[in-house]
Amino acid sequence: MADQAFVTLATNDSYGRGAMVLGKSLRHHNTTKKLVALIGPQMSEPCRSVLKEIFDEVRLVDVLDSGDAAHLAMIKRPDLGVTFTKLHCWTLTHYSKCVFMDADTLVLANIDDLFDREEFSAAPDPGWPDCFNSGVFVFRPSEETHGKLLQYCTEHGSFDGGDQGVLNGFFSDWATADISKHLPFIYNLSSIAIYTYLPAFKQFGGNAKVVHFLGKTKPWSYSYDSKSKQITGNVHEATTHPTFLLDWWSLYSSAVVPMLQEQYGDEPIRSGSVEDESCTSLEQAEAQLSSEERKKNWEQGQADYMGMDSFDNIKKKLDSFLK
Ligand code: UDP
Ligand code: GLC
Ligand code: MN
């Protein structure tokens, strides 16, 4: 249906990779809906081009930041103030109904039936099930709702510093008002739940339709050996199931990497594997952001924690000084 869309958000190249895999996973499961990506000005040109090939619409939006360091510290995610940017999705009024999905989600089956649901439908958050998780939700674009949400932010802020706190505050009767607005957990299987309730995962995990790589470490924080088809990096510390991580990586390497390679094209091949080459190219492009721009971004609280300003990269830099 032309007036219904899946919507995601990526403010930088790291989340951009997540959005590319999400878009591909929706296409692979033959969605009949439109695909929309909201992007931030930090995103590089090659990544924008790839997103434009996968998505029907790529829309540049202003990055909104809660600036709420105190609440974000409580969820140990200083980087999530920018998730306020998600609220722009209500301005997509050329669609009558949409499903928002975080860029760190992966679709495992056709989920077009979500459009039978009404605003505001979402699945419980595994940490506090009377709250919904805002990684997957059904909504109706409306300037009026958008305005009210922004007003809510100004008046009440967010109890977690991110969009999930605002949305739970705004749609505050979700837990009790209408059970049809509770999406089954298999539409937003937060990967940490596998460890908090393993028997349930063993019983029901096979029915999962959407996996959500919630938490600080994302699939793109690991590396992948394309020859042995294995994830490398701190896999035992992973907060997700290795099978899902492999699903993400195999889609990334087979469907997304060739597109990135096309964009980053004529750079010298450094190593044997296709994946390594693309990651290298992407990192090179990220590094091209001038140090002046990076400094400005840092000062505006927009460090690319998942990408070039990731802890690993900062540590590497420090190590190189120490050597
Ligand atoms: N996001 C983004 N840039 C950021 C941080 C977040 O575009 O720097 C978007 C992205 O769509 C992401 C969502 O906001 O999936 C929520 O953040 P995240 O998934 O990291 O939160 P979690 O689900 O781990 O709590
Ligand atoms: C959550 C959600 C995510 C949201 C974040 C900040 O854990 O998974 O979608 O952006 O909290 O509120
Ligand atoms: Mn997420």
Side-chain angles (χ1 to χ4, degrees):
M1 258 226 239
D3 71 337
Q4 300 187 333
F6 285 102
V7 183
T8 191
L9 162 71
T11 62
N12 56 34
D13 286 8
S14 304
Y15 282 94
R17 294 188 228 189
M20 291 165 200
V21 173
L22 167 63
K24 281 284 181 185
S25 70
L26 283 160
R27 297 260 184 238
H28 279 195
H29 293 287
N30 303 317
T31 181
T32 62
K33 312 299 172 183
K34 297 282 181 193
L35 303 189
V36 180
L38 306 177
I39 61 164
Q42 257 194 21
M43 183 172 290
S44 70
E45 273 308 323
C47 284
R48 291 180 196 208
S49 304
V50 172
L51 284 172
K52 280 180 192 156
E53 285 179 59
I54 301 173
F55 286 76
D56 296 292
E57 189 182 339
V58 175
R59 183 181 279 217
L60 183 66
V61 294
D62 295 333
V63 172
L64 296 181
D65 194 329
S66 70
D68 185 352
H71 283 123
L72 290 167
M74 287 166 67
I75 56 170
K76 300 193 177 65
R77 295 291 302 278
D79 52 319
L80 289 191
V82 298
T83 62
F84 268 29
T85 313
K86 237 187 236 186
L87 303 179
H88 281 300
C89 69
W90 266 273
T91 64
L92 297 168
T93 49
H94 47 306
Y95 300 105
S96 66
K97 196 189 277 183
C98 295
V99 171
F100 181 89
M101 302 187 75
D102 267 10
D104 61 342
T105 58
L106 174 72
V107 167
L108 307 172
N110 185 289
I111 49 167
D112 287 358
D113 56 336
L114 281 177
F115 289 83
D116 298 340
R117 307 264 177 169
E118 257 316 316
E119 178 173 279
F120 182 96
S121 297
D125 185 84
W128 194 268
D130 277 350
C131 287
F132 53 82
N133 181 275
S134 62
V136 177
F137 59 84
V138 183
F139 69 102
R140 278 195 185 273
S142 142
E143 286 297 349
E144 191 191 340
T145 312
H146 180 242
K148 285 185 182 163
L149 278 164
L150 293 187
Q151 194 185 342
Y152 186 91
C153 290
T154 319
E155 285 170 10
H156 307 276
S158 162
F159 67 74
D160 72 0
D163 63 291
Q164 182 159 309
V166 175
L167 292 172
N168 272 279
F170 189 81
F171 295 104
S172 62
D173 65 357
W174 172 86
T176 51
D178 180 354
I179 194 69
S180 73
K181 294 184 178 174
H182 286 223
L183 298 180
F185 194 59
I186 51 168
Y187 287 88
N188 183 355
L189 178 71
S190 302
S191 40
I192 46 175
I194 298 165
Y195 293 91
T196 49
Y197 199 9
L198 186 60
F201 177 68
K202 287 202 163 138
Q203 184 73 7
F204 305 114
N207 304 331
K209 289 177 190 278
V210 178
V211 55
H212 183 180
F213 298 96
L214 186 144
K216 201 150 64 187
T217 315
K218 302 299 185 196
W220 54 88
S221 320
Y222 299 92
S223 324
Y224 180 66
D225 180 345
S226 59
K227 290 189 195 87
S228 62
K229 301 211 180 307
Q230 286 194 352
I231 311 284
T232 53
N234 255 345
V235 193
H236 16 271
E237 282 176 25
T239 49
T240 187
H241 197 279
T243 321
F244 292 141
L245 266 184
L246 273 176
D247 287 343
W248 191 94
W249 270 99
S250 71
L251 189 56
Y252 178 67
S253 63
S254 65
V256 173
V257 166
M259 299 177 81
L260 284 166
Q261 271 189 319
E262 193 133 307
Q263 289 302 322
Y264 284 96
D266 43 3
E267 277 161 35
I269 295 195
R270 287 224 189 151
S271 68
S273 91
V274 173
E275 288 72 23
D276 290 346
E277 165 57 11
S278 132
C279 289
T280 311
S281 306
L282 198 58
E283 270 147 28
Q284 278 167 352
E286 281 172 352
Q288 278 167 9
L289 199 65
S290 74
S291 56
E292 210 34 54
E293 275 173 279
R294 272 181 79 178
K295 188 159 162 264
K296 209 174 93 210
N297 289 340
W298 265 87
E299 285 164 2
Q300 291 173 349
Q302 291 181 17
D304 184 9
Y305 292 107
M306 309 310 285
M308 62 186 176
D309 303 319
S310 70
F311 178 72
D312 277 355
N313 282 352
I314 293 169
K315 187 166 174 296
K316 265 187 228 153
K317 190 83 189 164
L318 289 174
D319 287 346
S320 77
F321 288 140
L322 292 172
K323 264 181 204 147

mmCIF file of all heavy atoms in Angstrom, residues 15 77 80 86 101-105 133-135 188 212-215 218, ligand 3:
data_model
loop_
_atom_site.group_PDB
_atom_site.id
_atom_site.type_symbol
_atom_site.label_atom_id
_atom_site.label_comp_id
_atom_site.label_asym_id
_atom_site.label_seq_id
_atom_site.Cartn_x
_atom_site.Cartn_y
_atom_site.Cartn_z
ATOM 1 N N TYR A 15 24.961 3.827 12.398
ATOM 2 C CA TYR A 15 23.553 3.432 12.400
ATOM 3 C C TYR A 15 23.041 3.301 10.962
ATOM 4 O O TYR A 15 22.101 2.561 10.705
ATOM 5 C CB TYR A 15 22.705 4.414 13.206
ATOM 6 C CG TYR A 15 22.829 4.192 14.706
ATOM 7 C CD1 TYR A 15 23.739 4.899 15.476
ATOM 8 C CD2 TYR A 15 22.044 3.234 15.341
ATOM 9 C CE1 TYR A 15 23.867 4.679 16.842
ATOM 10 C CE2 TYR A 15 22.158 3.003 16.707
ATOM 11 C CZ TYR A 15 23.071 3.734 17.452
ATOM 12 O OH TYR A 15 23.193 3.492 18.793
ATOM 13 N N ARG A 77 23.978 5.323 28.631
ATOM 14 C CA ARG A 77 24.031 5.533 27.172
ATOM 15 C C ARG A 77 24.036 7.036 26.854
ATOM 16 O O ARG A 77 23.057 7.584 26.374
ATOM 17 C CB ARG A 77 22.831 4.857 26.497
ATOM 18 C CG ARG A 77 22.799 3.346 26.596
ATOM 19 C CD ARG A 77 23.905 2.678 25.784
ATOM 20 N NE ARG A 77 23.845 3.034 24.378
ATOM 21 C CZ ARG A 77 23.029 2.440 23.499
ATOM 22 N NH1 ARG A 77 22.250 1.456 23.883
ATOM 23 N NH2 ARG A 77 23.020 2.809 22.237
ATOM 24 N N LEU A 80 22.419 8.558 23.617
ATOM 25 C CA LEU A 80 21.025 8.399 23.166
ATOM 26 C C LEU A 80 20.158 9.660 23.240
ATOM 27 O O LEU A 80 18.972 9.600 22.934
ATOM 28 C CB LEU A 80 20.346 7.242 23.907
ATOM 29 C CG LEU A 80 20.850 5.841 23.499
ATOM 30 C CD1 LEU A 80 19.944 4.766 24.083
ATOM 31 C CD2 LEU A 80 20.939 5.680 21.984
ATOM 32 N N LYS A 86 13.827 10.844 16.592
ATOM 33 C CA LYS A 86 12.794 9.898 16.154
ATOM 34 C C LYS A 86 11.416 10.553 16.031
ATOM 35 O O LYS A 86 10.603 10.177 15.197
ATOM 36 C CB LYS A 86 12.669 8.805 17.225
ATOM 37 C CG LYS A 86 12.878 7.405 16.758
ATOM 38 C CD LYS A 86 12.543 6.437 17.876
ATOM 39 C CE LYS A 86 13.680 5.520 18.193
ATOM 40 N NZ LYS A 86 13.315 4.485 19.191
ATOM 41 N N MET A 101 10.885 1.502 13.097
ATOM 42 C CA MET A 101 11.802 0.453 13.558
ATOM 43 C C MET A 101 13.191 1.036 13.773
ATOM 44 O O MET A 101 13.726 1.712 12.891
ATOM 45 C CB MET A 101 11.882 -0.685 12.527
ATOM 46 C CG MET A 101 10.514 -1.302 12.248
ATOM 47 S SD MET A 101 10.623 -2.750 11.194
ATOM 48 C CE MET A 101 11.264 -3.969 12.333
ATOM 49 N N ASP A 102 13.781 0.764 14.939
ATOM 50 C CA ASP A 102 15.157 1.186 15.211
ATOM 51 C C ASP A 102 16.084 0.629 14.140
ATOM 52 O O ASP A 102 15.844 -0.470 13.597
ATOM 53 C CB ASP A 102 15.627 0.605 16.565
ATOM 54 C CG ASP A 102 15.394 1.560 17.729
ATOM 55 O OD1 ASP A 102 14.707 2.573 17.552
ATOM 56 O OD2 ASP A 102 15.913 1.258 18.829
ATOM 57 N N ALA A 103 17.194 1.342 13.915
ATOM 58 C CA ALA A 103 18.170 0.880 12.917
ATOM 59 C C ALA A 103 18.935 -0.362 13.394
ATOM 60 O O ALA A 103 19.653 -0.980 12.614
ATOM 61 C CB ALA A 103 19.143 1.998 12.591
ATOM 62 N N ASP A 104 18.785 -0.710 14.662
ATOM 63 C CA ASP A 104 19.453 -1.923 15.162
ATOM 64 C C ASP A 104 18.466 -3.091 15.257
ATOM 65 O O ASP A 104 18.617 -3.967 16.098
ATOM 66 C CB ASP A 104 20.120 -1.666 16.531
ATOM 67 C CG ASP A 104 19.118 -1.259 17.588
ATOM 68 O OD1 ASP A 104 17.988 -0.850 17.230
ATOM 69 O OD2 ASP A 104 19.440 -1.357 18.795
ATOM 70 N N THR A 105 17.452 -3.084 14.394
ATOM 71 C CA THR A 105 16.536 -4.229 14.343
ATOM 72 C C THR A 105 16.746 -4.976 13.025
ATOM 73 O O THR A 105 17.235 -4.399 12.049
ATOM 74 C CB THR A 105 15.047 -3.799 14.443
ATOM 75 O OG1 THR A 105 14.752 -2.883 13.379
ATOM 76 C CG2 THR A 105 14.748 -3.137 15.780
ATOM 77 N N ASN A 133 8.754 -0.882 24.687
ATOM 78 C CA ASN A 133 10.039 -0.581 24.081
ATOM 79 C C ASN A 133 9.777 0.222 22.809
ATOM 80 O O ASN A 133 8.903 -0.133 22.006
ATOM 81 C CB ASN A 133 10.810 -1.869 23.767
ATOM 82 C CG ASN A 133 12.163 -1.554 23.148
ATOM 83 O OD1 ASN A 133 12.269 -1.366 21.937
ATOM 84 N ND2 ASN A 133 13.191 -1.467 23.973
ATOM 85 N N SER A 134 10.543 1.309 22.624
ATOM 86 C CA SER A 134 10.272 2.187 21.486
ATOM 87 C C SER A 134 11.120 1.843 20.260
ATOM 88 O O SER A 134 11.272 2.665 19.367
ATOM 89 C CB SER A 134 10.448 3.654 21.881
ATOM 90 O OG SER A 134 11.796 3.878 22.275
ATOM 91 N N GLY A 135 11.623 0.616 20.206
ATOM 92 C CA GLY A 135 12.392 0.180 19.038
ATOM 93 C C GLY A 135 11.521 -0.256 17.870
ATOM 94 O O GLY A 135 11.968 -0.277 16.723
ATOM 95 N N ASN A 188 9.461 -7.708 18.566
ATOM 96 C CA ASN A 188 10.561 -6.849 19.041
ATOM 97 C C ASN A 188 11.315 -7.631 20.102
ATOM 98 O O ASN A 188 11.269 -7.310 21.278
ATOM 99 C CB ASN A 188 10.010 -5.539 19.606
ATOM 100 C CG ASN A 188 11.118 -4.575 20.041
ATOM 101 O OD1 ASN A 188 12.299 -4.911 20.005
ATOM 102 N ND2 ASN A 188 10.721 -3.387 20.462
ATOM 103 N N HIS A 212 15.923 -7.338 17.986
ATOM 104 C CA HIS A 212 16.358 -5.980 18.291
ATOM 105 C C HIS A 212 17.674 -6.073 19.069
ATOM 106 O O HIS A 212 17.687 -6.588 20.178
ATOM 107 C CB HIS A 212 15.261 -5.299 19.134
ATOM 108 C CG HIS A 212 15.542 -3.871 19.454
ATOM 109 N ND1 HIS A 212 14.677 -3.101 20.202
ATOM 110 C CD2 HIS A 212 16.574 -3.054 19.145
ATOM 111 C CE1 HIS A 212 15.177 -1.878 20.327
ATOM 112 N NE2 HIS A 212 16.332 -1.837 19.706
ATOM 113 N N PHE A 213 18.756 -5.551 18.462
ATOM 114 C CA PHE A 213 20.084 -5.645 19.099
ATOM 115 C C PHE A 213 20.253 -4.501 20.082
ATOM 116 O O PHE A 213 21.151 -3.660 19.950
ATOM 117 C CB PHE A 213 21.181 -5.639 18.031
ATOM 118 C CG PHE A 213 21.108 -6.804 17.090
ATOM 119 C CD1 PHE A 213 20.472 -6.698 15.852
ATOM 120 C CD2 PHE A 213 21.652 -8.039 17.444
ATOM 121 C CE1 PHE A 213 20.396 -7.773 14.979
ATOM 122 C CE2 PHE A 213 21.574 -9.127 16.579
ATOM 123 C CZ PHE A 213 20.947 -8.994 15.346
ATOM 124 N N LEU A 214 19.371 -4.475 21.058
ATOM 125 C CA LEU A 214 19.340 -3.410 22.052
ATOM 126 C C LEU A 214 20.601 -3.436 22.917
ATOM 127 O O LEU A 214 21.107 -4.508 23.235
ATOM 128 C CB LEU A 214 18.093 -3.671 22.902
ATOM 129 C CG LEU A 214 17.644 -2.696 23.951
ATOM 130 C CD1 LEU A 214 16.127 -2.677 23.975
ATOM 131 C CD2 LEU A 214 18.159 -3.087 25.311
ATOM 132 N N GLY A 215 21.087 -2.264 23.288
ATOM 133 C CA GLY A 215 22.268 -2.192 24.155
ATOM 134 C C GLY A 215 23.432 -1.536 23.433
ATOM 135 O O GLY A 215 23.351 -1.230 22.244
ATOM 136 N N LYS A 218 26.543 -3.119 19.233
ATOM 137 C CA LYS A 218 25.672 -3.398 18.079
ATOM 138 C C LYS A 218 26.336 -4.420 17.165
ATOM 139 O O LYS A 218 27.549 -4.621 17.236
ATOM 140 C CB LYS A 218 25.432 -2.094 17.300
ATOM 141 C CG LYS A 218 24.800 -0.978 18.123
ATOM 142 C CD LYS A 218 23.445 -1.369 18.654
ATOM 143 C CE LYS A 218 22.755 -0.221 19.369
ATOM 144 N NZ LYS A 218 21.627 -0.692 20.200
HETATM 145 MN MN MN B 3 17.586 -0.081 19.388
#
